[in-house]
Amino acid sequence: ITALVDPFFEGIDADGVLGLNAYRELIATIDYPASRFRLEQGALPPADGKSVLAYRRAGHEEFTVSVSVAGKTMPAVLDTGASRALLIPRSAEGSFPYREPLVASREIASGPQVGSYHPREGILNGSLRLGAFEFPDPPITLNQASTVLIGSAILEKFVISLDQKHRRVRLQRIDPSPIVLPSSPRSKPAGPPNANPAGNARTVVFPDTPLGRRVSEYFEAFNSGDVARMTAFFERSFTKDALKHRSVSERLAVTAEIREVNTRFRVHRASPSTDGAVRVLAENAHGEWRQIDFQDEGDPEHHLGGMRLMQVEPPADASPSH
């Protein structure tokens, strides 16, 4: 197999990324409800336009299927990397009806082709039909790219099987209950300024160390949603060599992706570890918990050496979300 070292993946909580070519001859199944990934030999049944769809490659987009949006048939990409439900090109905004005027999100979205931006969002006045599955009045987001995307807010409702050899994808529902999508866009407006810089309902004491103070500044900048503030934080918190290896703009793009998924963090606990790092336990805006480890560069000025984020279970002493 061919291996590639790519700094784009440095921020992920894994030692590597397995590409599509590794299992191109197999059926790959992402079982979202059970949080499992399965590989098996064989082939999916022929496409029937209902639960098994034929897909094609359009440009650099691999998994393009035919969908209906507000009665209009068009190609759309099944994109597990997009956190929202339905994304349409900004250029096509006037082609669809909405329940109310679209509003600009205070949350930052990003993409490898388009950089960072503030999307406009709202609710479609009509249905999205994906095979035999219909989603009335789904949340809709304007996308900077030129393609309609079906994101994980919809795809995570299914068991999705991919047959690359025969270019087929199957959507299965294990749960017989109706599919319910959010009645408003997934991204939530940032809350009002809080005297607590990390957005907590209680006082959190960060370690009184140079790294601890940098970690506190990180959450202040992150929760503000201010790109200029985040830029200033990166410029003063990393060494020049670190910024040559990974530029401020690259770090901003990763931060935008983290914000797109989490919106903001309510820090629950911050504590030093034995190796000089600072470990933070925080809850995001959607009630999900994250552990974020911050490393010290080890230089005399104690610049930030890196950070690692992973999803964890709520702690036993977790307080209700605010």
Side-chain angles (χ1 to χ4, degrees), residues 54-59 61-66 74-77 167:
Y55 74 83
R56 61 187 177 85
R57 180 165 189 158
E61 301 290 0
E62 179 78 37
F63 306 112
T64 301
V65 300
S66 179
M74 61 190 61
V77 176
R167 293 192 174 274

Side-chain angles (χ1 to χ4, degrees), residues 189-236:
N194 194 305
N196 186 327
N200 300 354
R202 64 189 183 92
T203 301
V204 173
V205 178
F206 287 84
D208 188 18
T209 62
L211 180 60
R213 289 187 284 275
R214 290 193 190 277
V215 172
S216 177
E217 291 174 4
Y218 169 82
F219 286 101
E220 289 182 20
F222 183 92
N223 284 337
S224 73
D226 189 332
V227 176
R229 193 170 179 180
M230 204 77 232
T231 299
F233 170 80
F234 285 138
E235 289 176 343
R236 66 173 176 265

Side-chain angles (χ1 to χ4, degrees), residues 67-119:
V67 302
S68 173
V69 181
K72 299 180 180 180
T73 301
M74 61 190 61
V77 176
L78 303 182
D79 188 352
T80 58
S83 64
R84 291 169 170 81
L86 172 62
L87 301 94
I88 65 170
R90 186 173 60 178
S91 59
E93 176 181 358
S95 302
F96 301 97
Y98 310 99
R99 282 170 46 182
E100 55 190 32
L102 301 183
V103 296
S105 172
R106 293 175 61 184
E107 183 182 354
I108 299 174
S110 69
Q113 306 296 325
V114 298
S116 301
Y117 62 99
H118 289 272

